């Protein structure tokens, strides 16, 4: 509880009267304490409800999948009830740590958000007595986030426009002389800039730090051929399905629906840019023990496999593939045959440049 919390429960008139001696110190403090208690229901609830955990989710189908694969089994095994808060909000995470009032205890963060959260000291280091990084797979814990699942930013295109062998790389995607047709990319700097560098011939192991001048020169080349900069996953699916664009960079989770519907498209896993989702525990939450018990459960092979399959995510725990049928596993971004030619976005390597390239991308796309 902060001093500002106490000030906030007294009216301005009370505060003036107190300073003027019109209200006794005892009555003033009693009023403040009572008001402060009322202003912090979340913290008091945390003490009273030790068998409760609040998880920040993306809502919708994502949350339904998580309930089925993760939340309900966790509650069944531990007796800890999970209540959800949606959508995922970096701003709320930051506010919680600043005010000490926690709306949620666990959240899921992408690459860029994890880097920012770690830098701002908004998330807690793993509690080793519950989740020991040394006992997980290599690279499981990054910047205090625990890698859970991944999705790929893959290239897909219409078969009638580009017959076999079609587009083989991002360089082909950029080559509108050899492969004429409309293009489409996501309006998201953190994924498009690495793709632009790969298209310009940068080797995957030389991608970081990102050469921004080279990236934007590469983007200048493709910009006249971009019919749409998509911003919502279903939008990208519709654009390719209806033939409004000939080639597109999109999430594997969206393109999989078209594959299952036998749409006349080809998906290339070569040079897929892979985003990883990390579980993170809010720094200072009074329910940290329950939080780490949940995170430890969520990355175990069997529940993670079930959650991943429901959403076409790639499980980051390699042991999860033991619980996924091979025909399905081959459609996921972390399946070894898909993963070996992919580029995984690294929050630690991207963090120093995030603010710069995000601002520059916004200016570039508006120009």
């Amino acid at each position: 509880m902060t001093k500002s919390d106490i000030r906030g429960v007294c009216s301005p008139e009370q505060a003036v009267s107190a300073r003027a001696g019109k209200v006794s110190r005892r009555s003033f403090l009693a009023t403040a304490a009572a008001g402060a208690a009322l202003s912090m229901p979340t913290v008091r609830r945390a003490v009273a409800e030790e068998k409760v955990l609040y998880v920040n989710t993306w809502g919708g189908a994502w949350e339904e999948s998580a309930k089925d694969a993760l939340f309900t089994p966790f509650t069944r095994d531990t007796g800890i009830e999970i209540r959800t808060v949606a959508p995922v909000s970096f701003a709320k995470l930051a506010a919680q740590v600043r005010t000490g009032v926690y709306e949620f205890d666990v959240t899921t963060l992408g690459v860029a958000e994890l880097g920012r959260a770690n830098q701002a000291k908004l998330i807690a280091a793993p509690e080793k007595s519950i989740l020991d990084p040394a006992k997980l797979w290599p690279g499981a814990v990054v910047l205090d986030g625990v890698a859970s699942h991944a999705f790929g930013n893959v290239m897909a295109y219409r078969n009638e426009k580009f017959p076999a062998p079609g587009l083989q790389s991002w360089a082909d995607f950029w080559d509108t002389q050899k492969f004429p047709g409309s293009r489409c990319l996501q309006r998201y700097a953190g994924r498009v800039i690495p793709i632009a560098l790969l298209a310009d011939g940068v080797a995957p192991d030389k991608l970081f730090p990102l050469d921004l001048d080279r990236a934007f020169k590469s983007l200048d080349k493709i910009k006249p051929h971009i019919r749409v900069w998509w911003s919502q996953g279903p939008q990208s699916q519709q654009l390719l399905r209806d033939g409004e664009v000939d080639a597109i960079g999109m999430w594997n989770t969206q393109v999989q629906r078209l594959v299952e519907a036998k749409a006349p498209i080809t998906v290339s896993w070569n040079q897929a840019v892979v985003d990883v989702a990390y579980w993170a525990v809010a720094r200072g939450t009074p329910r940290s023990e329950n939080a780490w018990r949940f995170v430890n459960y969520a990355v175990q092979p069997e529940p993670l496999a079930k959650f991943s399959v429901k959403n076409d995510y790639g499980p980051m725990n390699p042991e999860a593939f033991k619980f996924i049928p091979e025909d399905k596993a081959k459609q996921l971004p972390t399946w070894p045959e898909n993963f070996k030619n992919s580029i995984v976005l690294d929050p630690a390597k991207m963090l120093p440049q995030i603010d710069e390239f995000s601002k520059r991308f916004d200016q570039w796309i508006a120009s």
Side-chain angles (χ1 to χ4, degrees), residues 17-28:
S17 297
R19 286 196 297 271
K22 296 178 180 178
V23 178
S24 71
R25 175 179 173 78
R26 177 176 297 178
S27 63
F28 174 76

Side-chain angles (χ1 to χ4, degrees), residues 45-90:
R45 183 175 58 204
V47 175
E49 300 178 2
E50 294 180 348
K51 289 291 185 179
V52 171
L53 181 69
Y54 292 83
V55 179
N56 189 204
T57 84
W58 290 102
W62 191 100
E63 183 172 312
E64 288 303 312
S65 299
K67 282 182 177 177
D68 186 43
L70 306 176
F71 301 165
T72 299
F74 175 74
T75 299
R76 179 195 62 212
D77 294 348
T78 65
I80 299 171
E81 179 189 356
I82 289 183
R83 299 176 188 173
T84 59
V85 178
V88 169
S89 171
F90 185 90

Side-chain angles (χ1 to χ4, degrees), residues 41-312:
T42 305
V43 172
R44 291 186 63 80
R45 183 175 58 204
V47 175
E49 300 178 2
E50 294 180 348
K51 289 291 185 179
V52 171
L53 181 69
Y54 292 83
V55 179
N56 189 204
T57 84
W58 290 102
W62 191 100
E63 183 172 312
E64 288 303 312
S65 299
K67 282 182 177 177
D68 186 43
L70 306 176
F71 301 165
T72 299
F74 175 74
T75 299
R76 179 195 62 212
D77 294 348
T78 65
I80 299 171
E81 179 189 356
I82 289 183
R83 299 176 188 173
T84 59
V85 178
V88 169
S89 171
F90 185 90
K92 284 186 178 178
L93 175 64
Q96 290 185 158
V97 177
R98 186 175 66 251
T99 63
V101 179
Y102 290 84
E103 187 175 353
F104 56 81
D105 315 299
V106 178
T107 188
T108 178
L109 300 173
V111 172
E113 290 77 16
L114 176 68
R116 287 190 171 115
N118 179 272
Q119 186 180 54
K121 302 185 185 307
L122 302 180
I123 56 177
E127 173 51 60
K128 292 184 179 179
S129 64
I130 301 173
L131 187 150
D132 187 349
K135 296 180 180 178
L136 298 176
W137 66 97
V141 178
V142 179
L143 300 179
D144 294 334
V146 183
S148 171
H149 54 278
F151 63 92
N153 298 273
V154 299
M155 180 172 56
Y157 55 86
R158 301 282 303 185
N159 294 339
E160 74 273 17
K161 189 68 179 181
F162 307 114
L167 309 181
Q168 302 291 308
S169 66
W170 290 113
D172 286 350
F173 188 96
W174 252 243
D175 191 346
T176 55
Q177 294 295 317
K178 185 177 180 181
F179 303 100
S182 59
R183 303 294 199 263
C184 184
L185 288 169
Q186 186 183 9
R187 186 169 177 163
Y188 190 92
R191 295 165 193 144
V192 165
I193 288 176
I195 287 173
L197 289 170
L198 293 168
D200 203 47
V202 176
D205 62 346
K206 305 294 184 184
L207 205 53
F208 301 101
L210 299 167
D211 183 338
L212 297 184
D213 288 339
R214 184 172 178 177
F216 281 98
K217 286 181 180 177
S218 178
L219 286 170
D220 285 340
K221 297 174 184 175
I222 198 66
K223 190 175 187 180
H225 306 281
I226 298 292
R227 179 167 293 172
V228 181
W229 291 93
W230 66 266
S231 57
Q232 301 292 325
Q235 179 192 13
S236 66
Q237 186 183 119
Q238 176 266 318
L239 288 165
L240 185 61
R241 182 190 61 225
D242 296 349
E244 294 186 37
V245 297
D246 300 318
I248 185 171
M250 63 188 295
W251 304 334
N252 77 287
T253 52
Q254 290 293 324
V255 80
Q256 185 59 32
R257 302 287 85 76
L258 300 180
V259 171
E260 292 169 355
K262 302 187 184 307
I265 62 167
T266 295
V267 180
S268 174
W269 286 96
N270 186 39
Q271 298 185 324
V273 174
V274 173
D275 270 84
V276 178
Y278 299 84
W279 288 111
V281 173
R283 185 185 182 93
T285 175
R287 293 172 287 262
S288 63
E289 181 177 341
N290 289 349
W292 284 114
R293 290 179 70 184
F294 169 73
V295 174
N296 186 51
Y297 180 88
V299 297
Q300 294 305 308
E302 191 166 2
L304 177 58
K306 187 175 182 180
F307 175 70
S308 298
V309 166
K310 283 179 173 291
N311 296 284
D312 293 304

